[in-house]
Amino acid sequence: MKVGVLALQGDFQEHLEVLRSLPVEAFLVKDEEGLNKIDALVIPGGESTTMGILLTRWGLREKIVERAKNGMPILGTCAGMILLAKKVEDHQQPLLGLMNITVRRNAFGRQRDSFESDLEIKGMEGPPLRAIFIRAPIITSVAPSVEVLAQIDDKIVLAKEGNLLACAFHPELTGDTRLYRFFLGL
């Protein structure tokens, strides 16, 4: 399997390093040629508005949407989750608009409010997954087609819809590869 990490902005290098520890071929994707070579895509954390503008400017948005609608698995983490959403609360920005979710940016506060938590994830065996939240978004509403996989209190932080996985935290920072393995099985 060939997995690409979108490398327009954000912490793409960390995802690449984790993926290279798994039995997949992983590389950075910056253009349409790169998108044409992959079977799955990771959209990293970063600045979602900047990433959305670059996706549009560089002509990647339509290609990613087309590939997703044809079944390509996509994991969006933090800013990547925002880009996957159909709607963002109280903010206008370019989105991929693929998942039937509404998100709220920076839902847990600012950078200094970052935290770690252990999450029970529906369908994932083993101990709770350590999750690192940095200026993290949450999912505030989902369509019936979306499966909620993890929450903190009543806040949705991990959800799946078909071949799409939206994650509010940073799995690339913990060394635990279980979420990537789950994603690669979509």
Side-chain angles (χ1 to χ4, degrees):
M1 178 179 233
K2 295 179 181 177
V3 183
V5 181
L6 189 65
L8 302 180
Q9 192 270 342
D11 67 340
F12 49 82
Q13 191 64 42
E14 290 82 356
H15 285 284
L16 183 67
E17 290 171 16
V18 174
L19 287 165
R20 286 186 170 163
S21 74
L22 300 172
V24 297
E25 187 178 337
F27 48 90
L28 299 178
V29 170
K30 298 179 180 179
D31 54 29
E32 186 172 338
E33 184 180 341
L35 279 173
N36 289 334
K37 296 177 181 176
I38 61 173
D39 304 305
L41 178 67
V42 174
I43 303 175
E47 215 305 305
S48 63
T49 302
T50 301
M51 293 168 69
I53 290 169
L54 293 174
L55 281 172
T56 302
R57 184 175 298 161
W58 295 357
L60 297 174
R61 184 188 175 283
E62 293 76 17
K63 185 67 179 175
I64 291 172
V65 168
E66 177 188 327
R67 293 288 312 273
K69 288 183 176 178
N70 287 324
M72 179 177 73
I74 299 178
L75 166 62
T77 65
C78 199
M81 178 171 107
I82 295 169
L83 290 169
L84 286 176
K86 290 234 184 210
K87 184 177 177 191
V88 177
E89 287 185 355
D90 303 320
H91 194 77
Q92 295 293 318
Q93 65 181 91
L95 301 169
L96 292 168
L98 289 165
M99 280 186 80
N100 289 300
I101 59 175
T102 300
V103 300
R104 181 183 310 145
R105 296 164 44 121
N106 304 323
F108 294 102
R110 304 173 69 90
Q111 187 94 11
R112 67 175 182 260
D113 301 311
S114 300
F115 65 99
E116 295 184 30
S117 182
D118 292 323
L119 296 178
E120 296 284 346
I121 296 178
K122 185 178 177 184
M124 185 177 291
E125 295 182 5
L129 185 81
R130 192 72 177 164
I132 298 174
F133 293 84
I134 304 170
R135 293 179 54 207
I138 60 169
I139 299 171
T140 57
S141 69
V142 299
S145 57
V146 176
E147 183 179 9
V148 175
L149 300 177
Q151 293 179 271
I152 293 180
D153 299 324
D154 61 341
K155 298 174 178 72
I156 301 169
V157 295
L158 181 66
K160 172 183 171 295
E161 184 177 27
N163 54 318
L164 307 171
L165 188 61
C167 171
F169 50 90
H170 289 266
E172 74 280 13
L173 299 178
T174 63
D176 188 329
T177 60
R178 287 181 292 162
L179 189 70
Y180 292 92
R181 293 177 191 278
F182 180 84
F183 163 63
L184 295 171
L186 292 180

